[in-house]
Amino acid sequence: MIGKEIRLNRLIRNNKSLFLAMDQGIEHGPNDFNDKTINPGMILGIAEKGRYNGIILHKGIVLNYFERYAGKIPLILKLNGKTNIPHIDVGISEQLTSVKDAVRLGADAIGYTIYTGTIGENLMLKQFGKVEEEARDYGMPIILWMYPRGRDRFNAEKVAYAARIGMELGADMVKVYYTGSMQTFKRVVLAAQKTRVLCAGGEKKTEKEFLKMVRNVMNAGAAGLAVGRNVWQHNEPLKITKKIKHIVFKK
Ligand code: FBP
């Protein structure tokens, strides 16, 4: 397990983590980006200058853009994914990349999404079971995106249930939606027990709303955040990074 501890140490500072998410190109499409941030190099630059504890990428971006950032930004390789293009069936986030490839690409952790409350849930749980075994063999930390689906996907009990599933499946960290308040988020953190809880940023909010969310999740006992749009869609990504870090790391 020593490999896993070494990798985890790269992702955690003062017992907290701040990750920059850039897997939206597959999940949401290029509409999330402007004419500048559509170039992955721009967002990698924010992660480097902002000294994030990790960046979340799919493998194509690692293969084509990551080399010069290796050793500067820890890498969280997203192994599964799905598009936002309307389908006739309920979206299943299928595995696209192997744990072995994550090792080959020098990843410090793998990211994997499970949508709870969907028709595809069982398949995703089954695929993940195998991924977890492989990750354990390689000493690769696991970050599970535990996302309920349906209209009430931000409901605290649903998010807490998803976080709990993530813990029982063997995740080192779970990334979950914000439940709207510090009180409700505490329940999520409690449900996950030893597993570290990270809050996702979600859609772009006003700076005031976003920082209130950051404060609430940290006061609820979260281990940090994994944010995308609220940083790189901000007019001044490094300024907002500084403000987030001030709350997360208390300095
Ligand atoms: P954001 O901070 O931009 O919300 O990113 C977090 C994230 O989990 C990404 O990693 C992922 O691409 C996206 O949100 C998925 O969002 P959703 O499933 O809610 O559409």
Side-chain angles (χ1 to χ4, degrees):
M1 292 298 268
I2 182 125
K4 178 160 128 176
E5 298 313 319
I6 290 171
R7 288 186 173 99
L8 274 174
N9 276 342
R10 294 188 194 124
L11 301 167
I12 299 169
R13 186 163 62 89
N14 296 340
N15 206 25
K16 299 284 182 284
S17 305
L18 180 62
F19 301 139
L20 193 62
M22 198 205 340
D23 58 336
Q24 289 84 350
I26 287 185
E27 297 293 328
H28 299 157
N31 270 352
D32 271 8
F33 306 115
N34 65 24
D35 287 355
K36 285 188 179 151
T37 55
I38 200 156
N39 173 356
M42 289 294 295
I43 295 179
L44 279 157
I46 296 169
E48 183 190 11
K49 290 192 199 99
R51 304 185 59 147
Y52 277 77
N53 304 114
I55 185 149
I56 297 156
L57 304 173
H58 276 287
K59 75 171 164 194
I61 295 188
V62 181
L63 290 167
N64 293 306
Y65 297 88
F66 194 68
E67 205 176 324
R68 64 168 289 244
Y69 300 93
K72 294 182 179 152
I73 323 163
L75 171 64
I76 298 156
L77 187 70
K78 194 73 204 303
L79 297 195
N80 68 341
K82 73 164 221 349
T83 73
N84 210 16
I85 300 163
H87 298 276
I88 39 171
D89 54 350
V90 176
I92 291 173
S93 194
E94 293 262 13
Q95 189 178 349
L96 309 170
T97 306
S98 65
V99 177
K100 197 169 169 188
D101 222 12
V103 177
R104 279 196 210 110
L105 293 170
D108 296 291
I110 53 161
Y112 204 94
T113 302
I114 294 179
Y115 297 127
T116 54
T118 61
I119 290 175
E121 181 189 275
N122 280 346
L123 179 68
M124 285 181 275
L125 292 176
K126 193 171 156 196
Q127 286 188 350
F128 176 71
K130 216 163 163 281
V131 168
E132 190 280 330
E133 266 184 56
E134 286 166 7
R136 193 152 23 94
D137 280 348
Y138 286 111
M140 184 63 81
I142 299 169
I143 306 175
L144 271 182
W145 280 222
M146 293 303 302
Y147 285 177
R149 277 301 186 243
R151 237 176 293 146
D152 48 357
R153 63 175 72 170
F154 306 112
N155 171 278
E157 270 315 302
K158 292 206 166 165
V159 177
Y161 192 173
R164 179 68 183 206
I165 297 168
M167 181 274 263
E168 298 207 16
L169 292 175
D172 299 287
M173 303 188 192
V174 286
K175 178 165 180 284
V176 297
Y177 291 134
Y178 179 49
T179 52
S181 67
M182 180 183 78
Q183 283 75 16
T184 54
F185 207 80
K186 270 188 178 166
R187 178 84 187 142
V188 178
V189 173
L190 188 69
Q193 289 289 302
K194 273 190 183 173
T195 296
R196 307 171 72 82
V197 176
L198 304 168
C199 188
E203 283 180 358
K204 177 81 170 62
K205 303 164 187 46
T206 65
E207 183 173 314
K208 200 172 160 205
E209 272 172 348
F210 176 65
L211 292 175
K212 185 175 174 198
M213 178 190 104
V214 175
R215 248 177 254 117
N216 281 347
V217 298
M218 294 316 294
N219 288 337
L225 293 102
V227 183
R229 290 165 286 179
N230 279 281
V231 170
W232 41 256
Q233 286 181 357
H234 191 280
N235 292 339
E236 297 186 274
L238 293 176
K239 270 201 179 157
I240 189 76
T241 297
K242 208 169 164 195
K243 292 181 184 173
I244 304 169
K245 285 172 102 172
H246 187 68
I247 301 169
V248 172
F249 300 106
K250 302 210 182 309
K251 50 168 111 155

